[in-house]
Amino acid sequence: MARKGLSKRMQIALNEQIKAELDSAYLYLALAAEMESRNLKGFAHWLRIQWEEELVHGLKLYDFLLQRDARVELHALDKPSIDSEQTTLEIFSQVLEHEQYITARINQLYALAQEDLDYGSQTLLHWFIEEQLEEEESAREIVDNLRLVGESGAALFLLDRELGQRSDDHEEE
């Protein structure tokens, strides 16, 4: 039975979202390894920071469930599907699509929280909604830049260098 206002379905949905966030982290770590293998260390750096952010997101949900006296149920992670034949543009298009998928999941969670009149979950999920706007914007910018610069040459080198300057800017709340 739900405790402290969290419905059983919200508990299940939040536990599933923890898995989705950790699957995201695992995907970004695998993509970072692929970029390292291509000697695109700036792209790899950007993806590793993204990996760390996804871990923070998963832990934020984990802590929220515990705070609400709900059960945390961790699920097995999916093995990321990485195609070493993909171009850098295709990989970052995959990142953007993945972020859009996570945004849709967060929006569904928010709708569920509204149905349940679960204001605590709505407050938490509002943070995730804002975070997803930033994540999609960042990925879209990289995709747009890759479309401009192509897969080789000085412009790709400069973009790689720029992405290598990304700081660990996630919010730990």
Side-chain angles (χ1 to χ4, degrees), residues 2 12 17 19 21 33 35 50 62-63 82 87 93 109 115-116 119 125 127 129 131 152 154 156 165:
I12 291 168
Q17 189 61 33
K19 179 192 182 313
E21 298 293 341
M35 292 294 100
Q50 202 62 28
Y62 174 97
D63 290 339
I82 307 300
T87 65
S93 293
L109 280 170
E115 286 175 27
D116 285 356
Y119 302 112
L125 293 167
W127 180 89
I129 290 167
E131 181 71 8
S152 62
L156 183 65
Q165 301 302 312

Side-chain angles (χ1 to χ4, degrees), residues 17-111:
Q17 189 61 33
I18 290 171
K19 179 192 182 313
E21 298 293 341
L22 297 179
D23 278 338
S24 296
Y26 207 30
L27 171 65
Y28 294 144
L29 190 59
L31 292 173
E34 178 61 29
M35 292 294 100
E36 283 282 350
S37 74
R38 297 177 186 196
N39 202 29
L40 291 171
K41 296 187 184 309
F43 285 96
H45 173 77
W46 189 94
L47 287 160
R48 281 186 65 138
I49 289 177
Q50 202 62 28
W51 164 72
E52 291 173 358
E53 284 194 7
E54 301 307 333
L55 292 176
V56 168
H57 296 170
L59 286 173
K60 193 174 197 79
L61 293 165
Y62 174 97
D63 290 339
F64 179 77
L65 283 167
L66 293 176
Q67 177 187 28
R68 297 289 299 269
D69 199 25
R71 289 198 54 80
V72 172
E73 296 182 17
L74 299 178
H75 303 278
L77 300 181
D78 297 329
K79 181 181 178 184
S81 176
I82 307 300
D83 179 358
S84 62
E85 300 298 315
Q86 284 183 304
T87 65
T88 309
L89 173 59
E90 288 169 336
I91 286 173
F92 276 85
S93 293
Q94 178 184 358
V95 168
L96 176 57
E97 288 171 14
H98 185 77
E99 289 299 336
Q100 291 167 336
Y101 162 73
I102 295 296
T103 297
R105 290 186 58 91
I106 296 296
N107 290 341
Q108 290 170 349
L109 280 170
Y110 192 83

Side-chain angles (χ1 to χ4, degrees), residues 35 40-50 88-89 91-92 95 137-146 149 155-169:
M35 292 294 100
L40 291 171
K41 296 187 184 309
F43 285 96
H45 173 77
W46 189 94
L47 287 160
R48 281 186 65 138
I49 289 177
Q50 202 62 28
T88 309
L89 173 59
I91 286 173
F92 276 85
V95 168
E137 179 183 22
S138 181
R140 188 175 294 107
E141 183 178 310
I142 294 169
V143 167
D144 290 345
N145 285 336
L146 283 166
V149 304
L156 183 65
F157 171 78
L158 290 173
L159 181 56
D160 184 61
R161 195 167 172 192
E162 178 184 325
L163 292 178
Q165 301 302 312
R166 180 182 181 187
S167 64
D168 187 358
D169 56 4

